[in-house]
């Protein structure tokens, strides 16, 4: 299993998708990295964050 996460390029689509709106605080450098991924993949920042979070949630484990 690779540690890399692949984000495929696609044409930008807009519209209501039924997601909930949340607010988070992140460091400026991380925001820059997210924006770079969004630009390179022709996706919105929101789409990139959702793709990354969806993958990270499946890999996460709670340490006791």
């Amino acid at each position: 299993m690779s540690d890399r996460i692949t984000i495929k390029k696609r044409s930008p689509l807009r519209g209501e998708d039924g997601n909930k709106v949340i607010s988070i605080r992140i460091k400026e450098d991380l925001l820059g990295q997210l924006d770079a991924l969004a630009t390179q993949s022709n996706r919105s920042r929101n789409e990139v964050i959702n793709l990354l979070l969806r993958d990270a949630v499946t890999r996460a484990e709670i340490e006791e």
Side-chain angles (χ1 to χ4, degrees):
M1 179 180 203
S2 173
D3 287 341
R4 299 188 77 62
I5 298 172
T6 302
I7 301 173
K8 295 180 182 178
K9 287 187 176 184
R10 73 171 183 135
S11 300
L13 297 175
R14 303 281 187 244
E16 181 56 43
D17 55 9
N19 291 321
K20 298 287 184 183
V21 176
I22 64 167
S23 175
I24 64 167
R25 293 174 187 250
I26 61 174
K27 298 287 185 184
E28 211 169 307
D29 62 322
L30 179 55
L31 179 60
Q33 290 174 310
L34 291 168
D35 286 342
L37 287 172
T39 298
Q40 293 168 12
S41 63
N42 294 327
R43 292 180 178 266
S44 69
R45 180 192 299 157
N46 180 67
E47 288 177 298
V48 169
I49 290 169
N50 272 284
L51 289 168
L52 294 172
L53 285 174
R54 183 171 286 121
D55 189 73
V57 165
T58 63
R59 295 181 191 203
E61 60 183 52
I62 306 301
E63 187 175 346
E64 296 190 36

